[in-house]
Amino acid sequence: MAGLSRRDLLRRTGGLAAFAALTAACGGNTGRPSGGGGSGGSKVNLAQWYHQYGENGTKEAALKYAKAYTDANVAVEWTPGDYASKLASGLLSSNGPDIFESQLNIGMVKSNQVVALDDILGDAKADFNPNDLQTNSVDGKVYGIKMIDDPQVFYYRKSLFDKAGIKPPETVDDLIAAAKALTTDKVKGIFVGNDGGIIIGGPALWSSGGAYLTADNKPGFTGDRAAQAFAKLHELYDSKSLLLGAPADWADPSAFVQGLTAIQWCGLWAMPTIQKALGDDFGVFAYPKLDAQGRPSLPSGGWTQFVSAKSANIEAAKAFVKWLWVDNLEFQEDWNLNYGFHIPPRKSLAAKATKLQQGAAAEVVKLNQDHGIVDLPAWTPKMITAFNDLTTNVIRKGADPAAEITKAEKTVTTELSRLFG
């Protein structure tokens, strides 16, 4: 589900602001209904917070789900713009959300911002994608219920590739060469965001065989191969083949469907729009491997529903989350497949998602199964900022990758020491 507000401000590679002005971001609207929630048998009031999704019908769907719930009054707070800062403020306040969407980081657990939800999963836990449970678990407890899986890939114009005699790239050098070959006076070869490609910093690292963190929670983005992968991002930036200053950023497929670029990094969510505009004249591929020793990769992101530990009605909030994101398969299917394309976190729903079982959509599903990588909770916003600074300085300023890695490693190591002792 596209939109700068959610993709660049809150996705795991962009980070959630750790602190924000408590009242300025939230204003006076808590999103809670004015009546009920007290004693005497009246219904509990619950505030459910969403960022603003880009696809038509999403807000109406969220309102429909809330209205259909009869055991509490659920008010949907739909936030355009800087949802990350508003949420960071709200989670520090008793006037924040009861239920909210985000991505888990371990700091949310250690600072007691969210509650464990194992008890509402029950037998349904076995039906959730294991990666979706892993990315929402700390110390064996599950703190969030995944709502949608959103893999990101490169989209490419088949006709332009055929005209240039180019095949989908298998290595990063192939990608850079293709971008150069496809660039004309009217069409740029590739679009990876108006900032020049910060969004593909993670895939570039993974292409070398690296990781944000190792299995024992040490920095996994160090060494010569990681430095080489980051240097390739600058080479791409410096190739004169990047589209910059597009009317919409990478999460929106406008640049691709308008013919401004031959290749664009975007998400599965955009595929219905691309299909409508281009028919069969497009294909998809993962971020290519760095070299023969590397691996193709793609982020397997998405959004998760949480219950705030500051809620005055935690059990009621958990009951609503269970009703909507554990028990109500009809609404889960609607949310994943009728407003852009997303892979349902429930294995049973994913297996029967006919819209994802053919053509390019099926290819994305397969790429996600084979090469998708999820972020784990130990990769915190402070670490994300350090990593993004690394990639920004290398890509846009041509800074020495090894020196930038050293700076980021110091920050990440300090953060890990704080978290794990």
Side-chain angles (χ1 to χ4, degrees):
M1 297 181 174
L4 176 64
S5 60
R6 75 190 176 112
R7 296 293 168 188
D8 289 347
L9 294 178
L10 191 53
R11 66 177 299 275
R12 293 288 296 163
T13 55
L16 173 63
F19 299 101
L22 291 179
T23 57
C26 293
N29 184 357
T30 67
R32 301 175 189 276
S34 58
S39 58
S42 58
K43 293 181 182 178
V44 164
N45 295 330
L46 298 174
Q48 183 186 26
W49 284 16
Y50 290 85
H51 74 285
Q52 181 177 359
Y53 286 75
E55 293 84 347
N56 291 333
T58 48
K59 181 178 181 180
E60 291 76 12
L63 292 169
K64 176 181 71 176
Y65 307 155
K67 185 177 180 180
Y69 189 62
T70 58
D71 290 343
N73 301 316
V74 181
V76 170
E77 180 80 354
W78 195 261
T79 303
D82 192 356
Y83 176 72
S85 293
K86 176 173 180 176
L87 180 60
S89 299
L91 293 180
L92 298 175
S93 168
S94 59
N95 289 323
D98 298 287
I99 305 139
F100 64 95
E101 61 174 8
S102 184
Q103 291 88 19
L104 184 67
N105 73 77
I106 198 169
M108 295 163 68
V109 176
K110 287 183 175 291
S111 60
N112 194 33
Q113 292 182 326
V114 291
V115 300
L117 301 178
D118 300 83
D119 55 335
I120 70 172
L121 274 171
D123 294 339
K125 183 175 182 178
D127 191 37
F128 279 85
N129 185 308
N131 283 342
D132 293 332
L133 295 173
Q134 184 183 29
T135 196
N136 286 308
S137 297
V138 173
D139 294 334
K141 294 182 178 180
V142 179
Y143 286 89
I145 309 298
K146 198 75 178 289
M147 303 155 59
I148 51 176
D149 285 346
D150 277 345
Q152 299 162 28
V153 295
F154 280 117
Y155 288 85
Y156 72 96
R157 289 292 296 272
K158 289 182 177 179
S159 58
L160 295 180
F161 269 57
D162 290 344
K163 183 178 180 180
I166 296 172
K167 295 182 179 180
E170 294 185 2
T171 67
V172 176
D173 283 337
D174 291 342
L175 178 66
I176 296 172
K180 290 179 179 178
L182 292 163
T183 297
T184 68
D185 58 347
K186 295 182 180 179
V187 179
K188 285 291 187 179
I190 190 168
F191 181 48
V192 288
N194 284 326
D195 58 14
I198 311 306
I199 191 64
I200 56 173
L205 168 65
W206 304 330
S207 78
S208 72
Y212 290 138
L213 297 174
T214 62
D216 57 349
N217 286 325
K218 299 290 192 301
F221 53 87
T222 62
D224 292 341
R225 287 185 59 77
Q228 183 183 354
F230 298 138
K232 289 296 180 183
L233 293 180
H234 177 69
E235 185 178 338
L236 179 63
Y237 181 79
D238 202 39
S239 68
K240 311 300 182 184
S241 60
L242 259 66
L243 173 65
L244 298 171
D249 213 348
W250 67 272
D252 187 304
S254 297
F256 186 66
V257 300
Q258 292 173 11
L260 302 179
T261 183
I263 306 170
Q264 178 175 336
W265 184 260
C266 198
L268 176 62
W269 61 83
M271 191 169 290
T273 298
I274 294 172
Q275 287 176 331
K276 183 177 180 180
L278 302 179
D280 293 329
D281 187 20
F282 75 94
V284 296
F285 59 91
Y287 191 95
K289 59 188 178 183
L290 177 62
D291 51 30
Q293 289 72 49
R295 59 180 177 179
S297 64
L298 63 149
S300 185
W303 288 85
T304 295
Q305 196 98 135
F306 299 92
V307 171
S308 171
K310 285 190 175 293
S311 170
N313 297 290
I314 287 176
E315 292 305 316
K318 288 167 64 176
F320 174 71
V321 172
K322 181 179 187 298
W323 172 82
L324 180 54
W325 299 114
V326 178
D327 297 337
N328 200 317
L329 297 181
E330 178 184 350
F331 284 168
Q332 292 168 41
E333 187 172 27
D334 178 65
W335 188 244
N336 276 270
L337 298 172
N338 290 336
Y339 316 98
F341 284 172
H342 316 270
I343 302 174
R346 301 289 289 271
K347 291 183 288 186
S348 60
L349 291 180
K352 67 174 187 176
T354 56
K355 293 180 179 180
L356 304 180
Q357 293 175 356
Q358 56 186 346
E363 180 64 18
V364 175
V365 172
K366 186 176 188 306
L367 288 172
N368 188 61
Q369 290 172 344
D370 293 343
H371 308 298
I373 295 176
V374 297
D375 293 334
L376 300 180
W379 189 242
T380 67
K382 192 169 185 177
M383 299 178 198
I384 291 165
T385 298
F387 185 84
N388 285 349
D389 288 345
L390 182 171
T391 52
T392 297
N393 290 336
V394 172
I395 293 171
R396 298 180 64 89
K397 300 178 182 179
D400 175 43
E404 295 301 318
I405 287 172
T406 297
K407 289 192 292 186
E409 182 182 11
K410 182 178 180 180
T411 299
V412 170
T413 300
T414 299
E415 181 75 346
L416 289 168
S417 296
R418 181 184 68 83
L419 292 171
F420 299 106

